[in-house]
Amino acid sequence: MKKKFAAILLLLAVLCMFAACSKEYDPDPAVKEYLNNGMTAEQAYSRIATATYTETRTLQNKQGVTKGNFFSEVFLDKTDENNLRVKIHSVYEGECVEEDKVTDMTAELSFSEGKYVYTVTKKLLDSDVPVVTKEIMETEDAQNLLVAIIYTDNGAYSEGLYYGDLFMLRIFRFPPESFYVDTEENLCVFDEGMLLKEYYDLEDVELHQVTKINSLGLLMYNYEKYVGTKSDYVLISEITPTYTYLPEKTV
């Protein structure tokens, strides 16, 4: 199950969040109005100056005994378009360590002497000597790296920290009470439980998920708890982003 656990990437919810639902519902008008404000992935990306998010995953059995942990912190800075920066630091423990035996990995994009350099440092379970690789990255590839953290346009919705299109598409696939507008925090919230059929090799898995986005469509919080119905498997995942913003451009 190690590789299955580690294969759950940044926003697994984007892939399975609404997979079980096919019936069409009439969404809450307040939710529809909140989302139908012209938000786009490109607009959200253009407003970001910096973005940071932490992700934690805890793999347990049903008695609450921890079998593995994963922690990742991602930071991007596009305040200066001519000096883009990214840093990703991930730590793997217990059953979250994959077959490549990486326990700690840091990837960093920096700009030096007119060139972007992408450096990856890995610490291995059975070695005290870190493995370091460096590559020169073209400016366009550096820009694409930052964009990919926020969104990837795959033709159906934009995948990444931007959830706006996904929410708008899927408010019709869950009962209206699954979504609501938090007027105090000015957020749109998805809060629902669902059954994932044939989830990897675990057969059926019950998922409870809470996802919050802001008026730009950017993720503000994500919580997922997976419980195997026929296996001794519990996975808890949380993602907490923070942002600083550039001034809104005026025409």
Side-chain angles (χ1 to χ4, degrees), residues 61-72:
N61 61 22
K62 291 182 178 178
Q63 291 71 48
V65 177
T66 298
K67 312 289 282 188
N69 287 301
F70 168 82
F71 170 82
S72 183

Side-chain angles (χ1 to χ4, degrees), residues 88 107-109 116-120 133-137 145:
I88 304 169
E108 188 165 8
L109 175 73
Y116 281 103
V117 180
Y118 190 65
T119 305
V120 178
T133 60
K134 291 188 177 184
E135 68 171 296
I136 303 300
M137 185 173 283
L145 176 62

Side-chain angles (χ1 to χ4, degrees), residues 45 48-50 75-86 109 111 116 139 142-143 146 244 246:
Y45 179 79
I48 293 172
T50 65
F75 170 78
L76 70 83
D77 185 346
K78 55 183 281 290
T79 308
D80 181 354
E81 294 184 356
N82 297 312
N83 185 16
L84 305 174
R85 293 188 294 143
V86 172
L109 175 73
F111 189 72
Y116 281 103
T139 299
Q143 294 169 339
L146 272 74
T244 63
L246 298 168

Side-chain angles (χ1 to χ4, degrees), residues 24-38:
E24 186 162 312
Y25 294 88
D26 292 325
D28 182 339
V31 171
K32 190 173 182 181
E33 181 180 1
Y34 183 97
L35 298 173
N36 193 22
N37 67 2

Side-chain angles (χ1 to χ4, degrees), residues 3 17 19 23 51 62-63 68 79 81 88 98 101 121 136 143 150 152-153 157 175 178 187 195 203 211 236:
K3 292 183 71 63
M17 178 175 175
K23 180 179 177 180
K62 291 182 178 178
Q63 291 71 48
T79 308
E81 294 184 356
I88 304 169
E98 293 189 78
K101 298 184 179 181
T121 303
I136 303 300
Q143 294 169 339
I150 307 303
T152 300
D153 187 357
Y157 53 80
S178 301
L187 301 174
L195 179 67
E203 299 188 26
T211 305
I236 299 173

Side-chain angles (χ1 to χ4, degrees), residues 152-184:
T152 300
D153 187 357
N154 64 7
Y157 53 80
S158 296
E159 178 182 328
L161 288 176
Y162 174 76
Y163 269 59
D165 290 1
L166 182 63
F167 265 50
M168 178 55 84
L169 284 170
R170 299 306 186 178
I171 57 174
F172 301 97
R173 300 303 181 191
F174 274 90
E177 57 267 23
S178 301
F179 291 87
Y180 67 91
V181 176
D182 181 339
T183 55
E184 291 187 4

